[in-house]
Amino acid sequence: MDTCNLRGALGDEAVKPPRRGAVCVGSIPWPRSHFLARAFSSLFSASGGEVTSVPRPKGGMFRNVAAIYLHLAGLFQRKKAGTSLTRCMHQTFAMSKRLQARRLDGIDHNPWVEFGKMASEYDVVNLGQGFPDFPPPDFAIQAFQLALNSDFMLNQYTKAFGYPPLTKILASFFGKLLGQEIDPLKNVLVTVGAYGALFTAFQALVDEGDEVIIVEPFFDCYEPMTLMAGGRPVFVTLKPSPTQDGELDSASNWQLDPTELASKFTSRTKALILNTPNNPVGKVFSKAELELVASLCQQHDVICISDEVYQWLVYDGHQHISIASLPGMWERTLTIGSAGKSFSATGWKVGWALGPDSLMKHLRTVHQNTIYHCPTQGQAAVAQSFQHEQLHFGQPSSYFVQLPQAVQRYRDHMIRSLQSVGLKPVVPQGSYFLIADISDFKTQMPDLPGDADEPYDRRFVKWMIRNKGLAAIPVSVFYSTPHRKQFDHYVRFCFVKDESTLQAMDEKLQKWKDELRP
């Protein structure tokens, strides 16, 4: 290339002086900038590349054109044979400044992405991620269809902090359960799923240097959300009690040590996050355990963020108790719920936070400056579904009665099936999940492929996906880094699955069982 090609490529229009009032793109007037872009695009297309950006020196039009041309000509000259110009351009214009915010350091890895991707590459029954593969109840589907097809204004914005019929029914429904007069305008915030409620709570209430007590094993977003808010996670571990030989462990045996828990509270403690029923163990905290947590929160003036998305999914006669219902706790508790878990519609992504206005006003500040508004039609469907449940609550016709009865059967089915190949389930009291002890496998085949420092349960899950056609989640991902190796002999399964999925699981397990025979 030489400079003579510039006029030929751009045309005479590109080097005329700008007319008065010309619109400029960068420092180059329109329409000349159009000709430059067209020409450079043409030149790069011929080399398999595309225009990304070019330096823009100060000075007149002719100096701009000359500088851009010389820079691009230099790229062509430095371009090695077989190297695309696109790559050359990206290397040349790579930013020298740090791109990601420091609050993202160390939290970029996500186990759901990793193991979900791996499961999709094999012929597996996916029992890893927690979602039902059966439909929501008919009344919920009909409510969503009505929201889509009735009032056309449901296609538009609603109130920023929640669709009024939904905030009203949530206030009425949960006010009775919590023993509070809940104001739908001050005490309820509708969010993009419970995940959104959690993120909003951390951003609103956790400040730089604040300590947040997290009970582990914990839902894996609690730690990164704490870190992104500038907080410091402080972990306290549920410890399993020993069981007798031949006896299945139960989630009720996993308990907090009161002395250890008390030791985690300091003058810097801002919040404690509680998850009951717990994911992944399936523990339902007893009233005595909740009273212990409540007394420590009150003693140290600490906020409790209570994640109760599985509150309707409790089994064997156990009872879910909201910590906000205990004396003195409403004033310092955020109670977080999920329509997805309540109505088996996780894709709707409608969640909420309930609490005193002294806390909720700060969540509203975050919400109005981030999400601002959640989809109206999904909120309308959830409002209608809760109105249905309020009419049937506590009766055999209530979905909140029917769902746990059905899911308990799925749980029992999975427990029996997993035992057939030597897995030892921990019987959950609630939630979508159970964990299974793989200690015997760790003893019999300790050298599964994987990195030297990789927890055993991660290697086991990868082996099971590749060789047995079953996908699960390693329980070590629900622990802080120092404790992962201590609990790497468990894997998590989701049992909220259709009968056909459980039958497919049985077929995989039967084949596995046949392989175990001498």
Side-chain angles (χ1 to χ4, degrees):
M1 290 182 64
D2 56 42
T3 53
C4 295
N5 289 333
L6 182 63
R7 181 182 294 273
L10 304 183
D12 292 337
E13 193 68 33
V15 292
K16 289 182 180 178
R19 66 178 182 273
R20 182 174 298 174
V23 177
C24 292
V25 179
S27 60
I28 303 175
W30 178 267
R32 264 166 291 162
S33 59
H34 168 72
F35 284 96
L36 284 168
R38 185 179 65 186
F40 293 144
S41 178
S42 171
L43 290 171
F44 293 149
S45 296
S47 300
E50 56 183 276
V51 179
T52 53
S53 61
V54 291
R56 194 178 60 192
K58 295 181 180 179
M61 173 63 194
F62 296 102
R63 277 179 291 171
N64 283 339
V65 173
I68 293 170
Y69 170 74
L70 291 173
H71 179 82
L72 296 176
L75 285 179
F76 280 108
Q77 292 169 359
R78 292 194 301 271
K79 179 177 176 293
K80 295 180 180 179
T83 304
S84 73
L85 185 60
T86 302
R87 180 176 176 184
C88 187
M89 290 287 289
H90 282 298
Q91 290 173 344
T92 302
F93 296 121
M95 289 186 66
S96 60
K97 293 180 180 178
R98 177 189 173 98
L99 294 178
Q100 79 275 20
R102 285 182 174 81
R103 61 181 167 270
L104 302 184
D105 289 350
I107 64 170
D108 53 333
H109 178 74
N110 187 294
W112 314 111
V113 174
E114 177 188 1
F115 288 98
K117 179 177 182 296
M118 187 174 181
S120 69
E121 294 169 353
Y122 293 85
D123 178 23
V124 301
V125 178
N126 192 342
L127 305 172
Q129 286 184 281
F131 60 87
D133 59 359
F134 50 80
D138 289 343
F139 67 83
I141 294 175
Q142 290 163 7
F144 208 112
Q145 291 171 337
L146 184 65
L148 290 173
N149 298 321
S150 58
D151 184 357
F152 70 89
M153 286 304 294
L154 293 179
N155 292 288
Q156 308 306 326
Y157 295 131
T158 185
K159 297 291 185 182
F161 306 130
Y163 177 60
L166 177 55
T167 57
K168 287 177 183 176
I169 190 65
L170 289 174
S172 170
F173 196 96
F174 287 98
K176 295 182 179 71
L177 296 176
L178 298 175
Q180 296 292 327
E181 286 291 332
I182 295 181
D183 185 328
L185 297 179
K186 294 182 177 180
N187 305 133
V188 182
L189 175 65
V190 179
T191 58
V192 181
Y195 221 89
L198 287 164
F199 183 79
T200 302
F202 280 103
Q203 290 295 312
L205 302 174
V206 177
D207 213 346
E208 193 75 30
D210 286 344
E211 293 179 352
V212 177
I213 297 173
I214 300 175
V215 178
E216 58 180 353
F218 56 88
F219 184 46
D220 68 297
C221 76
Y222 300 159
E223 182 180 13
M225 285 186 182
T226 299
L227 293 170
M228 279 193 284
R232 176 177 171 263
V234 175
F235 300 99
V236 59
T237 307
L238 287 167
K239 295 183 173 64
S241 304
T243 58
Q244 305 214 350
D245 289 344
E247 182 183 51
L248 284 180
D249 194 3
S250 167
S252 62
N253 293 333
W254 291 57
Q255 298 181 346
L256 291 170
D257 180 310
T259 304
E260 182 186 9
L261 175 61
S263 73
K264 302 297 181 179
F265 286 80
T266 73
S267 60
R268 296 179 298 279
T269 305
K270 182 67 173 289
L272 177 146
I273 181 153
L274 178 72
N275 180 208
T276 181
N278 170 272
N279 171 16
V281 174
K283 176 182 175 63
V284 176
F285 283 76
S286 68
K287 185 175 182 180
E289 291 171 314
L290 294 175
E291 287 173 341
L292 171 64
V293 173
S295 67
L296 289 167
C297 286
Q298 292 176 46
Q299 179 183 338
H300 294 276
D301 194 24
V302 167
I303 298 163
C304 181
I305 302 172
S306 190
D307 181 351
E308 303 181 13
V309 298
Y310 300 107
Q311 72 176 100
W312 309 116
L313 290 155
V314 291
Y315 317 119
D316 302 319
H318 293 289
Q319 182 183 6
H320 169 78
I321 301 171
S322 292
I323 196 168
S325 68
L326 299 184
M329 285 306 290
W330 166 258
E331 293 79 8
R332 63 178 65 253
T333 301
L334 289 176
T335 303
I336 290 174
S338 162
K341 303 301 191 298
S342 298
F343 298 109
S344 305
T346 58
W348 289 10
K349 292 298 287 183
V350 177
W352 55 85
L354 311 173
D357 188 50
S358 59
L359 298 178
M360 296 299 296
K361 64 183 181 182
H362 304 301
L363 273 71
R364 292 194 294 269
T365 299
V366 173
H367 184 87
Q368 72 191 18
N369 289 295
T370 52
I371 299 302
Y372 184 72
H373 167 273
C374 302
T376 308
Q377 292 163 328
Q379 293 187 67
V382 175
Q384 188 69 35
S385 297
F386 264 110
Q387 288 164 9
H388 176 279
E389 274 305 292
Q390 193 167 54
L391 293 174
H392 296 265
F393 190 69
Q395 302 174 31
S397 56
S398 166
Y399 188 67
F400 296 162
V401 172
Q402 296 172 353
L403 179 62
Q405 291 174 347
V407 172
Q408 182 172 323
R409 293 194 295 270
Y410 304 154
R411 179 202 68 171
D412 294 344
H413 181 151
M414 181 174 282
I415 287 171
R416 290 191 300 270
S417 296
L418 293 177
Q419 290 181 85
S420 69
V421 295
L423 295 163
K424 297 177 181 177
V426 176
V427 180
Q429 300 167 289
S431 86
Y432 276 6
F433 309 105
L434 63 81
I435 65 173
D437 190 330
I438 57 170
S439 297
D440 290 347
F441 292 90
K442 191 175 182 180
T443 301
Q444 295 164 10
M445 45 185 203
D447 300 320
L448 291 176
D451 297 334
D453 60 346
E454 188 174 20
Y456 183 80
D457 58 345
R458 293 175 61 90
R459 290 183 280 142
F460 181 86
V461 166
K462 292 175 183 179
W463 170 83
M464 192 168 62
I465 290 172
R466 293 189 188 104
N467 297 282
K468 304 303 177 185
L470 291 172
I473 296 294
V475 169
S476 63
V477 305
F478 301 100
Y479 282 89
S480 58
T481 301
H483 295 153
R484 285 177 183 169
K485 286 293 186 78
Q486 299 174 34
F487 292 90
D488 71 347
H489 54 287
Y490 295 99
V491 294
R492 192 196 77 170
F493 294 93
C494 175
F495 53 82
V496 185
K497 299 298 179 185
D498 185 74
E499 290 285 358
S500 62
T501 303
L502 297 176
Q503 289 172 6
M505 172 195 71
D506 286 343
E507 292 171 6
K508 299 285 188 181
L509 290 170
Q510 183 60 50
K511 184 178 178 182
W512 186 350
K513 184 178 178 181
D514 291 342
E515 293 169 354
L516 295 173
R517 290 174 182 158

